[in-house]
Amino acid sequence: MLTLLDKVTKIVAVLLLLGLLSCVLLGVLSRLFRFPLSWTDELSQYLLVWCAFLGWTIATSTDSHIRLIFLQNIGYTRITKFIEILIRFSLFLIGGFLSYQSISLIKRTMDIRWVSLPISSSLLYIPIIFVGIIVMLRAALDVVVLARGPKATSRRALWFKQ
């Protein structure tokens, strides 16, 4: 299930990035031909935010998010494993917090419109719900894999020695 979710996430991220590049290119070309489209700036800002959040989920699924590994390099498997579980649990809480808070942001911005288009500003916050859920699923899976024992590994060996 999570591999399918990873593939769908990557496809959506690529489509959003292509949309972002197209939007910026359209804005540049429209200014070049002296017919500026004002909505391209605002749409490109929203697409950039969506790409950033999807990039976070991709970084989480490949264990390439930023981390401090000073304590993990001590060499004690139990301490390193505990730190990894703590990191994953923290990611789970952050994903849940973001999902929960984005619902109230969507409610508060439902009647606010974009400056350049008659579209609700709440569209900016809708992807955050899904990103938070994806991060929570990924973190929960990693905690389960880590808690199984010293021989259990996650997708990328999770930084601790076997």
Side-chain angles (χ1 to χ4, degrees):
M1 177 183 141
L2 286 174
T3 40
L4 176 64
L5 186 62
D6 289 340
K7 288 179 184 178
V8 169
T9 302
K10 287 177 183 177
I11 289 170
V12 171
V14 166
L15 292 175
L16 281 175
L17 187 60
L18 288 174
L20 173 62
L21 293 173
S22 301
C23 186
V24 170
L25 181 64
L26 183 63
V28 168
L29 290 177
S30 68
R31 285 181 183 86
L32 179 69
F33 294 115
R34 302 192 192 285
F35 186 69
L37 300 171
S38 61
W39 56 267
T40 57
D41 291 336
E42 194 168 15
L43 180 61
S44 62
Q45 290 172 6
Y46 279 24
L47 289 173
L48 181 64
V49 170
W50 296 344
C51 285
F53 273 104
L54 278 179
W56 178 38
T57 63
I58 293 170
T60 301
S61 70
T62 59
D63 280 341
S64 56
H65 49 79
I66 297 172
R67 63 173 65 214
L68 298 173
I69 59 171
F70 172 73
L71 292 175
Q72 293 171 312
N73 288 335
I74 291 174
Y76 299 110
T77 305
R78 288 184 180 164
I79 293 173
T80 308
K81 185 176 174 180
F82 174 74
I83 291 170
E84 276 299 325
I85 290 174
L86 189 63
I87 289 170
R88 301 300 196 242
F89 185 69
S90 300
L91 279 172
F92 182 84
L93 292 177
I94 290 169
F97 179 76
L98 282 176
S99 293
Y100 178 75
Q101 290 297 320
S102 65
I103 292 171
S104 66
L105 283 171
I106 290 168
K107 289 178 184 176
R108 280 189 267 155
T109 58
M110 197 66 92
D111 57 344
I112 300 172
R113 302 284 175 222
W114 288 14
V115 174
S116 58
L117 291 173
I119 299 173
S120 175
S121 291
S122 62
L123 283 177
L124 178 63
Y125 306 109
I126 290 174
I128 300 173
I129 295 172
F130 300 109
V131 166
I133 291 170
I134 292 170
V135 168
M136 287 174 65
L137 285 172
R138 176 65 61 196
L141 175 71
D142 287 344
V143 167
V144 168
V145 168
L146 281 166
R148 283 189 181 158
K151 292 187 179 182
T153 59
S154 97
R155 297 167 311 283
R156 308 215 343 139
L158 291 177
W159 299 96
F160 65 89
K161 296 178 183 178
Q162 294 297 315

